[in-house]
């Protein structure tokens, strides 16, 4: 019987030395964990250990039994990509043009309220990542940084402003004016909030801004000392547009969300804002058609990440029909449960112009501030580019040509 043996030799010392990675041990274990994270899920796990439960639940939670979020996630998990081979994918271009300017990836930062609750620097830390990666940041009406403060902190970042039409239209007008004067390019009108969604976790946790100090809090401080230290040693945590407010969130929502908001308000907004207007929270083909006729620049198919109407349409499932109806007239964006580059690819392949991410970057900021958000973009980009190469798509329009479908998997 023939047996093959490897020939021995003296150890090749220079080769052995070249394999050694000389790295000083890092001082912060958390920083090292974030650097090693291979997915946004891992960042979420790190985040959970860093911030109080009330904060993590506020970010992760949705409305009622949270089935909408689960269905959005399932839709992404059931996507099957078409793939083409032998297409020379040595050069991949992930950029798109949005309102005349290039962005480097088809992702935008969703408006999310109270960002300083998640990490003390708040909105400027996220907008700085947008600037560093040539992306667009959207600031919420419920932000903890005002439009003018954000403009001062990150003057070169592309900034959009998200508006809730408030019961007092003059208050809306004054914040729109501030956004315009502070160089914000576009307005996002959120329309899926005629009333606040029922967020059971927040009700159980008694969420208030700023957080109340009770006996329970004292134990919480002992468990998450860094978060509390940051809270106590930085400027007061409050809504930039509603300084001095210290009542429960539900009461603020009642002031900000106007159940009487209607299509007339879209026309009103067009009369007071001369830049692009996007309508966020569209959940039907009929509304998409009407808004396209009214001449908005774009729509975001969204159910607020499952935080408003529970058991409504799943954005990814609705997307192809909406794109078929209005995609040649206006930009169609999507959000909800986008947590990776593969999800981003799926949404583009099914017709979206680009995706908005919310929780994904909030997990990053809770895990490690601005560094955590940078890591989120790095991970999304890694998977997105990798998926493009493996499906044979060299640019964004080829993703659409190659396409994808949602598998019909029964629950
Ligand atoms: C913590 C949190 C706060 C939010 N605040 C706002 C807001 O102030 N205005 C708004 O239009 N949408 C808000 N949203 C919804 C997001 O803009 C976006 O629609 C949603 O996060 C997308 O789902 P995803 O988080 O799974 O990516 C918020 C979402 C989260 C998670």
């Amino acid at each position: 019987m023939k047996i093959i043996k490897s020939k021995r030799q003296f150890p090749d010392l220079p080769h052995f030395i070249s394999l050694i990675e000389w790295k000083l041990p890092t001082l912060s274990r958390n920083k090292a964990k974030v650097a090693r994270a291979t997915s946004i899920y891992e960042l979420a796990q790190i985040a959970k250990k860093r911030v109080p439960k009330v904060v993590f639940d506020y970010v992760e939670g949705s409305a009622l039994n949270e089935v909408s979020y689960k269905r959005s996630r399932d839709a992404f998990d059931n996507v099957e990509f078409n793939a083409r081979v032998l297409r020379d994918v040595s050069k991949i271009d992930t950029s798109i043009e949005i309102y005349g300017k290039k962005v480097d990836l088809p992702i935008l930062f969703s408006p999310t309220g109270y960002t300083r609750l998640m990490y003390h620097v708040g909105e400027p830390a996220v907008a700085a990542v947008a600037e560093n990666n040539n992306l667009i940041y959207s600031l919420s009406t419920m932000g903890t940084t005002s439009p003018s403060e954000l403009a001062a902190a990150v003057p070169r970042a592309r900034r959009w402003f998200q508006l809730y039409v408030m019961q007092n239209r003059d208050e809306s007008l004054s914040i729109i004016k501030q956004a315009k004067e502070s160089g914000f390019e576009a307005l996002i009108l959120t329309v899926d909030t005629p009333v606040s969604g029922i967020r059971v976790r927040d009700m159980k946790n008694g969420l208030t801004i700023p957080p109340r100090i009770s006996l329970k809090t004292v134990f919480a401080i002992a468990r998450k000392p860094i978060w509390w230290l940051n809270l106590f040693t930085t400027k007061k945590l409050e809504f930039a547009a509603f300084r001095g407010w210290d009542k429960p969130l539900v009461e603020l929502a009642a002031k900000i969300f106007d159940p009487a908001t209607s299509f007339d308000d879209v026309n009103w907004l067009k009369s007071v804002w001369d830049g692009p207007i996007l309508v966020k929270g569209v959940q039907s083909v009929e509304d998409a058609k009407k808004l396209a006729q009214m001449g908005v620049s774009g729509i975001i198919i969204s159910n607020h990440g499952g935080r408003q109407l529970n058991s409504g349409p799943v954005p990814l499932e609705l997307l192809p029909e909406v794109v078929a109806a209005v995609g040649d007239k206006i930009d169609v964006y999507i959000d909800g449960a986008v947590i990776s580059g593969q999800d981003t690819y799926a949404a583009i392949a099914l017709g979206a112009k680009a995706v908005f991410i919310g929780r994904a970057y909030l997990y990053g900021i809770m895990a490690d501030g601005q560094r955590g958000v940078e890591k989120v973009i790095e991970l999304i980009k890694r998977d997105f580019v990798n998926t493009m190469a493996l499906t044979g798509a060299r640019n964004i329009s080829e993703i659409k040509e190659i396409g994808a479908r949602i598998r019909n998997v029964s629950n």
Side-chain angles (χ1 to χ4, degrees):
M1 190 176 47
K2 188 173 174 184
I3 293 174
I4 313 284
K5 284 190 176 168
S6 199
K7 203 170 154 245
R8 300 268 168 197
Q9 62 178 32
F10 281 112
D12 176 352
L13 219 56
H15 175 60
F16 175 74
I17 289 169
S18 75
L19 296 178
I20 300 174
E21 280 189 353
W22 300 107
K23 264 195 203 155
L24 286 173
T26 161
L27 286 178
S28 158
R29 275 185 59 214
N30 189 68
K31 213 193 272 182
K33 269 200 265 172
V34 169
R36 277 199 310 268
T38 59
S39 71
I40 292 168
Y41 286 112
E42 282 178 36
L43 291 178
Q45 291 311 312
I46 298 169
K48 198 169 186 171
K49 296 198 181 115
R50 297 280 289 180
V51 301
K53 180 176 170 3
V54 57
V55 176
F56 189 82
D57 274 355
Y58 170 63
V59 171
E60 190 189 56
S62 313
L64 293 169
N65 70 356
E66 307 194 342
V67 75
S68 263
Y69 184 82
K70 182 183 172 302
R71 287 183 186 158
S72 289
R73 238 351 296 153
D74 288 348
F76 279 112
D77 288 338
N78 290 333
V79 168
E80 188 172 281
F81 301 133
N82 297 331
R84 307 278 303 278
V85 293
L86 298 172
R87 281 164 64 88
D88 182 0
V89 289
S90 52
K91 287 200 186 73
I92 299 255
D93 179 4
T94 59
S95 67
I96 55 167
E97 207 178 278
I98 299 184
Y99 304 130
K101 284 192 227 156
K102 205 177 92 152
V103 293
D104 287 355
L105 281 170
I107 56 175
L108 298 94
F109 289 93
S110 283
T112 59
Y114 335 135
T115 311
R116 288 195 56 234
L117 181 69
M118 288 109 209
Y119 179 69
H120 61 286
V121 179
E123 290 84 1
V126 186
V129 177
E131 180 181 327
N132 295 341
N133 292 277
N134 191 27
L135 301 173
I136 296 172
Y137 176 76
S138 327
L139 176 69
S140 163
T141 298
M142 309 277 262
T144 37
T145 305
S146 70
S148 55
E149 286 164 349
L150 189 74
V154 282
R156 283 191 306 278
R158 279 185 79 181
R159 286 163 273 115
W160 291 3
F161 185 71
Q162 177 267 323
L163 183 79
Y164 287 122
V165 174
M166 290 172 234
Q167 302 200 355
N168 179 345
R169 297 291 188 273
D170 287 345
E171 281 186 51
S172 291
L173 209 52
S174 97
I175 197 152
I176 292 171
K177 196 163 161 268
Q178 191 189 134
K180 188 89 225 171
E181 285 166 5
S182 309
F184 281 65
E185 277 177 33
L187 263 195
I188 300 177
L189 172 67
T190 298
V191 294
D192 54 10
T193 51
V195 294
S196 181
I198 298 170
R199 318 239 176 102
V200 178
R201 295 199 212 192
D202 297 347
M203 286 157 81
K204 284 200 172 137
N205 291 333
L207 175 65
T208 57
I209 306 279
R212 295 270 153 78
I213 311 287
S214 64
L215 194 60
K216 233 167 110 188
T217 328
V218 178
F219 293 110
I221 293 174
R223 285 210 301 271
K224 317 280 175 184
I226 297 175
W227 186 91
W228 285 98
L229 183 73
N230 286 332
L231 177 76
F232 293 138
T233 56
T234 54
K235 70 177 178 189
K236 191 175 164 199
L237 177 66
E238 56 186 351
F239 300 106
F242 310 95
R243 293 229 143 91
W245 187 275
D246 67 347
K247 299 200 185 77
L249 278 187
V250 266
E251 285 180 38
L252 180 65
K255 175 182 156 75
I256 294 178
F257 304 150
D258 184 357
T261 307
S262 72
F263 279 99
D264 291 343
D265 289 296
V266 177
N267 281 328
W268 168 72
L269 210 55
K270 283 178 67 193
S271 71
V272 296
W273 179 268
D274 57 5
I277 294 178
L278 294 96
V279 178
K280 172 173 182 281
V282 174
Q283 298 171 78
S284 74
V285 177
E286 294 71 28
D287 287 346
K289 281 185 184 161
K290 185 154 184 188
L291 288 161
Q293 266 166 18
M294 292 173 78
V296 302
S297 307
I299 54 172
I300 306 166
I301 307 175
S302 168
N303 61 16
H304 221 99
R307 297 159 74 84
Q308 286 295 116
L309 171 67
N310 194 35
S311 305
V314 174
L316 193 67
E317 291 173 2
L318 190 61
L319 175 68
E321 226 187 312
V322 172
V323 171
V326 301
D328 55 341
K329 296 183 198 77
I330 56 172
D331 291 338
V332 180
Y333 300 87
I334 184 173
D335 78 11
V338 174
I339 208 87
S340 72
Q342 285 223 314
D343 298 341
T344 308
Y345 184 102
I348 308 284
L350 289 167
K353 162 117 185 170
V355 300
F356 282 75
I357 53 168
R359 291 181 184 85
Y361 78 78
L362 294 176
Y363 291 140
I365 202 168
M366 291 190 292
D368 194 19
Q370 184 176 334
R371 249 191 314 268
V373 183
E374 291 280 4
K375 183 74 188 184
V376 165
I377 300 304
E378 177 195 314
L379 289 171
I380 292 182
K381 185 172 180 185
R382 179 201 68 184
D383 293 358
F384 187 64
V385 170
N386 177 262
T387 308
M388 285 179 78
L390 294 176
T391 60
R394 291 159 293 203
N395 54 47
I396 302 294
S397 49
E398 287 188 359
I399 295 180
K400 291 182 203 289
E401 274 163 41
I402 293 171
R405 75 201 75 83
I406 302 178
R407 286 159 59 92
N408 192 7
V409 185
S410 52
N411 293 324

